[in-house]
Amino acid sequence: MAKDDNSVRIFQGLLVLGNVVIGMCGIALTAECIFFVSDPHGLYPLLEAAENDDIYAAAWIGVFVGFALFSLSVLGIIGVIKSNKTLLLVYIILMLIIYAFEMASCITAATHRDFLTPNPFLKQMLERYQKLEADNNNDKRMSEEVTKTWNNLMLQNQCCGVHGPSDWQKYASAFRSMYSDADYPWPHQCCVMDARGSPVNLDGCKLGVPGYYNSNGCYDAISGPMNRQAWGVAWFGFAILCWTFWVLLGTMFYWSRIEY
Amino acid sequence: MRGNWVVLAFCSLGQLYADQSLKPQIAASQLATNNPSLTTVALEKPFCMFDSSLSPNKSYTIYLYAMMESAIAISSLVTDNRSKPLNSTFQQTNGGQLGPYRAALFNVPNCASPPNLADVGDINKVSDVLKQYLFRVGDDGTRLYDPNFLGVCNPPLAPDSMYRFKYMLVDNADSIMKDQTLWSDPIKTRRVKLPTKIDTWPGRRSGSMIVITSILSAFVFLLLSGFLACVSSAVKGLEDSSEATRHMSQTIQQSEPRLQVSSE
């Protein structure tokens, strides 16, 4: 009998430990997803205009799932220590629901990351940057946001276009129809700026003299943060779910062995 | 020995006609990387091309003529029959389609001290170096629409078109052509592609997405089946125990009257 008691205690201890880890991971997931949702790099308008912002939806789900995991882990610890069948049944059912939500978040983040290649950003930049005429207010707002985002991107990262300044020369664009090639072969934000925010030498920039224009593309500055967000949400969530799977199986087994 | 003299003679003959075989060149591509662009072409100024025709006490001006490649069939003359340079403008020649137009006038570049191209690294000197070294045809987008402007118009060129250029040395005193280069090789301006033609399909799915989806689906299936197994075993357990309690209560009821009988 003592041996039985011991093994039950050990199993209880394992389940409590499992729930403690789930609780801590839940808090970490909430914190991570709040960070991503706050959009520190200001890239959300690009995705919103492309109607491809599901990695942000995945991060939003992650905020709530993380907090729910923490609350449920507390419930689970109480249920295991008290060996209360009702509490544990509630815990298992709610955990299954949260499991499904988190699974949705992981799969969404991983799937929609695949759509973020250079070409959609290039096409959007050419069609929306500095576009003045709009179909409706929403369209106009999105074009303005895209223009603002690109200007910030190009100035802060000292880059130009998606692949490079040649994007503006190779393709027709809303920008090209507004500004002549003679004065603006590419936007002036592509020029090397002095301390006051004006081009060091405008003629050098227009001719493409090395050192007076930024010849590298902005794609790395866009894809870096977005990849980190997508992989952070998808893989951390996956790790939590792998751990939770075993804890849930253990809890179900424990629940089925509790005698009234 | 005689061969050497022949070669020397040819060389000097060649020198006499050097300016006749020279053509306007496009600016160095390491310096001007965006060249030719959609509507502009940057040309090297004619350094040392006209030196044999310059007299020391006279002043000269260089004229730059531009025309479309297709205009060769119509007219490629840049002077009239009295060697006076043509005053054709961009508008008159329909942008160079009907013949050459005069795109610019500038001073003869200094052959003795040409600009040092390495100086473009210095932000104080770069404007001067660029101005002395090259000329950008098509630079001026606004003059075409300015009715008050009386100078030489240098409007943007047409995209995706071949152009040829020629330099002419003109004596300021009598405005007569002194010398001219050949027409340059055809230079083509860039053309644009439409952004709607850009293919945004990402191609195949990444491996990570497949791993995450497949493993999580398997886990969810196992969890649900485990949950169903638990619940069904609990329900069965309840049924069994309720049958057992019915049995037990029946046996107790049966044994109680027997006890009562035996006690009586």
Side-chain angles (χ1 to χ4, degrees):
Chain A
M1 285 312 281
K3 210 164 130 201
D4 256 348
D5 210 29
N6 259 351
S7 57
V8 168
R9 286 258 175 262
I10 290 174
F11 197 60
Q12 272 185 328
L14 282 175
L15 286 180
V16 167
L17 173 70
N19 276 303
V20 164
V21 171
I22 290 178
M24 294 197 299
C25 286
I27 304 240
L29 184 68
T30 300
E32 181 198 28
C33 290
I34 289 179
F35 172 73
F36 286 136
V37 162
S38 70
D39 195 19
H41 296 274
L43 294 171
Y44 179 69
L46 294 184
L47 292 181
E48 189 196 5
E51 288 171 9
N52 205 353
D53 57 355
D54 286 317
I55 58 173
Y56 281 87
W60 272 112
I61 296 177
V63 172
F64 297 109
V65 161
F67 187 67
L69 281 175
F70 171 71
S71 322
L72 280 180
S73 71
V74 170
L75 178 71
I77 291 173
I78 297 173
V80 163
I81 290 179
K82 286 200 171 161
S83 293
N84 184 330
K85 255 195 150 165
T86 328
L87 267 184
L88 281 181
L89 185 63
V90 168
Y91 166 83
I92 289 172
I93 292 177
L94 288 179
M95 263 298 207
L96 282 175
I97 295 174
I98 297 297
Y99 199 96
F101 272 105
E102 179 59 17
M103 179 175 136
S105 164
C106 291
I107 293 179
T108 304
T111 310
H112 284 271
R113 157 64 199 87
D114 288 346
F115 287 108
L116 304 179
T117 50
N119 279 351
F121 292 111
L122 176 64
K123 191 167 177 185
Q124 184 195 64
M125 178 186 83
L126 294 169
E127 289 178 348
R128 282 208 185 264
Y129 181 75
Q130 300 280 15
K131 178 178 168 192
L132 279 191
E133 72 275 349
D135 300 326
N136 51 46
N137 270 346
N138 195 32
D139 197 44
K140 185 166 178 218
R141 181 186 65 85
M142 288 209 279
S143 297
E144 281 169 11
E145 291 286 323
V146 168
T147 303
K148 217 163 52 165
T149 306
W150 269 104
N151 285 340
N152 279 340
L153 256 179
M154 293 198 282
L155 288 172
Q156 279 166 12
N157 298 293
Q158 279 103 44
C159 57
C160 185
V162 171
H163 298 112
S166 55
D167 288 342
W168 299 106
Q169 290 282 307
K170 264 198 248 174
Y171 293 97
S173 54
F175 176 77
R176 180 58 56 228
S177 56
M178 282 278 311
Y179 296 92
S180 72
D181 169 66
D183 290 324
Y184 292 86
W186 35 66
H188 284 178
Q189 282 83 358
C190 293
C191 301
V192 173
M193 298 289 189
D194 61 17
R196 280 170 309 175
S198 49
V200 169
N201 188 288
L202 200 54
D203 286 325
C205 180
K206 287 197 263 184
L207 281 168
V209 179
Y212 294 92
Y213 76 116
N214 298 317
S215 53
N216 48 312
C218 296
Y219 182 63
D220 285 338
I222 298 174
S223 69
M226 286 196 182
N227 276 350
R228 282 195 286 278
Q229 172 166 338
W231 295 146
V233 169
W235 284 112
F236 187 47
F238 179 73
I240 294 177
L241 290 182
C242 282
W243 178 267
T244 310
F245 171 73
W246 295 110
V247 172
L248 268 180
L249 275 186
T251 312
M252 283 185 216
F253 177 71
Y254 184 78
W255 179 85
S256 63
R257 305 289 267 180
I258 296 177
E259 305 289 342
Y260 273 117
Chain B
M1 196 57 164
R2 216 187 309 161
N4 276 348
W5 279 112
V6 171
V7 166
L8 209 59
F10 269 125
C11 273
S12 49
L13 263 179
Q15 201 56 34
L16 249 176
Y17 292 110
D19 36 274
Q20 287 298 314
S21 67
L22 289 173
K23 310 176 189 180
Q25 298 295 327
I26 201 163
S29 56
Q30 304 95 302
L31 185 70
T33 52
N34 183 30
N35 194 19
S37 76
L38 276 177
T39 56
T40 66
V41 175
L43 295 170
E44 247 182 41
K45 284 194 174 174
F47 284 96
C48 308
M49 282 190 192
F50 297 120
D51 273 3
S52 47
S53 316
L54 292 174
S55 305
N57 291 337
K58 293 190 172 183
S59 67
Y60 298 90
T61 307
I62 304 268
Y63 285 19
L64 167 61
Y65 284 89
M67 79 169 173
M68 278 200 183
E69 171 87 354
S70 49
I72 286 183
I74 304 173
S75 157
S76 64
L77 291 171
V78 288
T79 55
D80 57 17
N81 45 17
R82 285 175 298 149
S83 283
K84 268 204 170 320
L86 279 183
N87 280 347
S88 47
T89 65
F90 182 88
Q91 293 97 314
Q92 285 170 355
T93 58
N94 209 3
Q97 285 173 352
L98 305 174
Y101 68 94
R102 194 171 56 184
L105 294 88
F106 45 83
N107 294 328
V108 181
N110 194 337
C111 180
S113 58
N116 182 2
L117 291 185
D119 280 344
V120 287
D122 185 347
I123 51 175
N124 298 319
K125 297 187 189 166
V126 62
S127 292
D128 287 331
V129 170
L130 288 177
K131 201 153 173 251
Q132 287 168 24
Y133 172 66
L134 53 77
F135 179 78
R136 201 166 175 237
V137 185
D139 203 16
D140 216 340
T142 47
R143 297 269 195 254
L144 198 58
Y145 306 107
D146 184 354
N148 295 325
F149 183 67
L150 299 169
V152 175
C153 222
N154 181 19
L157 307 172
D160 196 24
S161 312
M162 300 273 232
Y163 282 89
R164 284 175 179 260
F165 305 95
K166 180 192 269 261
Y167 285 120
M168 182 196 282
L169 183 72
V170 175
D171 190 333
N172 285 344
D174 46 13
S175 294
I176 298 276
M177 179 207 76
K178 264 302 211 233
D179 201 354
Q180 58 179 310
T181 63
L182 297 174
W183 283 106
S184 71
D185 294 329
I187 298 173
K188 190 165 187 190
T189 49
R190 289 180 95 135
R191 55 176 285 206
V192 280
K193 292 189 262 196
L194 287 177
T196 45
K197 296 262 173 69
I198 298 174
D199 180 18
T200 56
W201 181 247
R204 49 166 301 192
R205 297 260 172 234
S206 65
S208 327
M209 174 258 165
I210 294 176
V211 162
I212 290 177
T213 312
S214 51
I215 293 182
L216 287 184
S217 311
F219 278 176
V220 158
F221 171 72
L222 289 172
L223 279 177
L224 284 176
S225 41
F227 181 63
L228 283 175
C230 271
V231 164
S232 59
S233 75
V235 164
K236 239 207 236 158
L238 270 176
E239 283 176 2
D240 283 346
S241 68
S242 67
E243 269 196 39
T245 37
R246 250 191 296 128
H247 260 268
M248 267 176 42
S249 59
Q250 276 178 356
T251 11
I252 291 174
Q253 278 175 357
Q254 281 173 359
S255 60
E256 266 182 5
R258 263 192 269 128
L259 277 170
Q260 279 179 350
V261 165
S262 58
S263 70
E264 277 168 11

